[in-house]
Amino acid sequence: QVRLVESGGGLVQAGGSLRLSCAASGVTLSFNIMSWYRQAPGKQRELVATVSSGGSTNYADSVKGRFTISRDNAKNTATLQMNGLKPEDTAAYYCYAVRLGGVRVWGQGTQVTVSS
């Protein structure tokens, strides 16, 4: 059973920081792409950041310069370092991993709430 488990969410004040972790289990090979999405109430799920197996990253315009995605291929984990958090960042954050031609899996989500 392939699973992604997110952790690290919580309640922070605007301007604060959080680090989200995504741990993959039940796999022996690295995913091509590991991603973080977020979904706020009443809004569609949106892509926040991606990191490839080679370390290439992409970010949504709204988080550029504030969030950093990284991965540890040996540990099958991905992290999202979130700095300078804004109330607009409040959402459930989901890890999503893809192995091209193979497994695609979502995590269960972790809540991030930023108060003003």
Side-chain angles (χ1 to χ4, degrees):
Q1 178 91 340
V2 178
R3 296 182 64 209
L4 299 178
V5 179
E6 302 102 327
S7 62
L11 173 64
V12 297
Q13 296 290 321
S17 299
L18 284 174
R19 177 176 291 188
L20 306 184
S21 296
C22 173
S25 64
V27 296
T28 58
L29 297 175
S30 297
F31 294 99
N32 294 102
I33 299 291
M34 300 193 75
S35 308
W36 285 97
Y37 284 74
R38 66 186 182 186
Q39 187 168 23
K43 299 181 66 177
Q44 288 192 315
R45 189 168 297 184
E46 64 175 343
L47 180 64
V48 176
T50 67
V51 58
S52 73
S53 58
S56 180
T57 59
N58 286 283
Y59 298 92
D61 288 342
S62 59
V63 306
K64 286 180 180 177
R66 300 188 297 120
F67 291 10
T68 302
I69 189 171
S70 60
R71 63 189 292 169
D72 185 333
N73 291 331
K75 294 184 177 181
N76 277 325
T77 60
T79 63
L80 185 69
Q81 178 66 46
M82 304 184 294
N83 299 323
L85 284 163
K86 304 175 180 179
E88 310 93 271
D89 296 318
T90 295
Y93 283 71
Y94 298 88
C95 186
Y96 179 57
V98 176
R99 176 75 181 179
L100 294 180
V103 66
R104 298 176 293 167
V105 61
W106 288 94
Q108 83 287 353
T110 185
Q111 179 67 37
V112 172
T113 302
V114 184
S115 63
S116 59

